[in-house]
Each structure stands twice: as C-alpha cells, then as structure tokens.
Amino acid sequence: MPVPVNHPKPVRVTAKESAYLQLQQWIIDGTLQPDEKLVDTDLAQALSLSRTPIREALQLLEAQGFVEMFPGKTTRVTKVHKEDIVHLLPPVAVLQALAAELAIPNMDSQSFDMLKETNKRFARAIKADDNFSALKIDEEFHQLIVDAAQNPYVHNMLDHLQSHVRRQFFHNSLILTAGSYDTHERIIRALEEKDAAEVSRLMKANWIRTIDELTAPANA
C-alpha cells in the first residue's frame, strides 16, 4: 500500500511534559477536585509513568498555582475561589488587547476567514445552549489572534493565565452570552480596518464585560 505523506505528525513530548499536560487538564476540568490529595505513586500508575516525571510535573503545577506541596507531608490540588476571576481577567484583557494590536500587520484573508468561521461556530454553540463548546470555541477565536501576534512572551503569559480562566469556567459553570459574539464581530472589523486603538478598546471591553456578567448574580 502507498505510504501517506501528508498526515499530521505526532508531537513528541517528554514524560514530564506528558504528565504535566494531563494532570493540568484533570485539575482544570475537575477530574482532580480542589483540595484532593495527590499521591505520586497512584498518578504514576494511572499515567503509566515512573514517579520522577510525576514529581517534576507536580513541581511545575505548584509553580503555576494548581497544586500545593508540603514536603514530607502531602500534595493537594489548590482550591478554586470564584472571586479570583476579578483579579484574573484584567491582566488577561490587557494582554489580549496587546496581542490584537500586534496581530494587525500579520493578518491576511485566510486569517480573517478563520476568525469569521470560528465566530459563526461560537454563535451556533451559544444558540444551542452548548456552554462547553462555546467556551472552547471562544478560546479558539482568541488564540487565532494571539498566534497572529507572533510574540512568544505574550503567548506564554496568556497560556498560563488562560489555564486558570478555563478552570474558573469549568468549576463555576460560567456561561458566555451572545454579547461576546457581537463583540467578536466588531473586533474582526477593527482588525480588517487596521484600527489598533479600536481593537484594543474592544478586546479589553470584551473581557471586562465578562467580569460584570460573572459577578452580577452575586451582587443582585
């Protein structure tokens, strides 16, 4: 049989990276619950890895605020506090706004087609009350812009912050609304018009509005 050549190539990761990515995902989606005790031998068995990459992964997760390690005692998943969203989203808003400004000279017709199609899928998910898909697609939309910015420092900082945003959304059942779709449409237009000031304003407003929506029920 002919050997296919145009197929996706697997991304090689180290055992530490593999453990880190899987444990982070389990913490974000609640498979590993807040305050849950983590035993490296159990995790090593579950992931078919040795204890060394598990311990290295846990150290990385501690540095990022996902676990707490008490040497000689225990390691636990950190708790999730909904009020932290008020502190988390403003720096996300600023970095997302900067990414949008930096993306302007790198956007082409294919980039805009991808943004528009992604936002259409986002709208369909919201209309179907598919909150999980809406959150994932919203992240796709913003990641397209971050990638277009071509700035590894902004990318890395946002990657760290976005992981905590995802955790907040999972644990607090946070829901995006049609207002985000409308703002996305205006962001696309501002990018097409190369209006750096407007795209920055819209991007910040998008995230700050999310804070208002998420905190409104508690203040009602």
Side-chain angles (χ1 to χ4, degrees):
M1 60 175 287
V3 178
V5 293
N6 296 320
H7 59 84
K9 305 298 190 297
V11 177
R12 293 182 179 274
V13 296
T14 65
K16 177 181 71 174
E17 291 170 330
S18 176
Y20 165 77
L21 291 171
Q22 185 59 75
L23 293 176
Q24 183 193 56
Q25 182 57 43
W26 283 345
I27 292 171
I28 287 172
D29 67 23
T31 299
L32 295 174
Q33 286 288 307
D35 215 30
E36 183 171 344
K37 183 178 179 180
L38 302 178
V39 180
D40 57 2
T41 52
D42 293 343
L43 295 174
Q45 183 177 5
L47 296 176
S48 299
L49 295 170
S50 69
R51 293 173 63 188
T52 297
I54 297 297
R55 288 195 294 265
E56 292 174 340
L58 290 174
Q59 289 170 349
L60 289 175
L61 290 166
E62 181 185 36
Q64 292 198 351
F66 287 107
V67 304
E68 294 177 300
M69 302 181 75
F70 303 94
K73 295 182 180 179
T74 188
T75 298
R76 293 185 182 277
V77 178
T78 55
K79 296 179 181 179
V80 181
H81 303 285
K82 187 174 182 178
E83 59 270 20
D84 286 348
I85 202 76
V86 176
H87 306 294
L88 177 59
L89 289 185
V92 172
V94 172
L95 286 168
Q96 289 280 1
L98 175 59
E101 292 183 52
L102 295 173
I104 288 176
N106 304 320
M107 301 292 292
D108 55 22
S109 59
Q110 184 179 4
S111 302
F112 289 117
D113 288 344
M114 292 175 67
L115 283 175
K116 291 172 183 177
E117 177 55 32
T118 301
N119 205 31
K120 288 178 182 177
R121 291 192 291 114
F122 178 64
R124 289 196 292 270
I126 290 176
K127 187 174 182 179
D129 292 326
D130 186 350
N131 298 322
F132 176 79
S133 292
L135 291 171
K136 296 294 289 183
I137 297 168
D138 179 72
E139 189 170 344
E140 284 180 41
F141 178 88
H142 289 285
Q143 191 61 47
L144 287 170
I145 297 172
V146 173
D147 290 343
Q150 299 180 14
N151 186 304
Y153 297 99
V154 172
H155 183 285
N156 290 339
M157 286 186 285
L158 275 172
D159 185 58
H160 170 60
L161 291 172
Q162 288 286 166
S163 62
H164 286 281
V165 171
R166 288 195 297 274
R167 192 180 186 210
Q168 284 281 345
F169 276 40
F170 269 108
H171 284 270
N172 293 306
S173 301
L174 306 178
I175 298 172
L176 295 174
T177 67
S180 292
Y181 166 81
D182 295 334
T183 303
H184 288 176
E185 288 291 290
R186 292 196 292 273
I187 288 171
I188 294 171
R189 286 197 296 272
L191 286 168
E192 288 177 322
E193 294 168 0
K194 302 185 184 301
D195 190 336
E198 179 65 1
V199 78
S200 177
R201 184 191 70 79
L202 288 168
M203 191 65 81
K204 289 177 184 176
N206 181 61
W207 290 94
I208 299 303
R209 189 194 65 255
T210 301
I211 296 176
D212 295 337
E213 291 176 352
L214 299 181
T215 57
N219 295 331

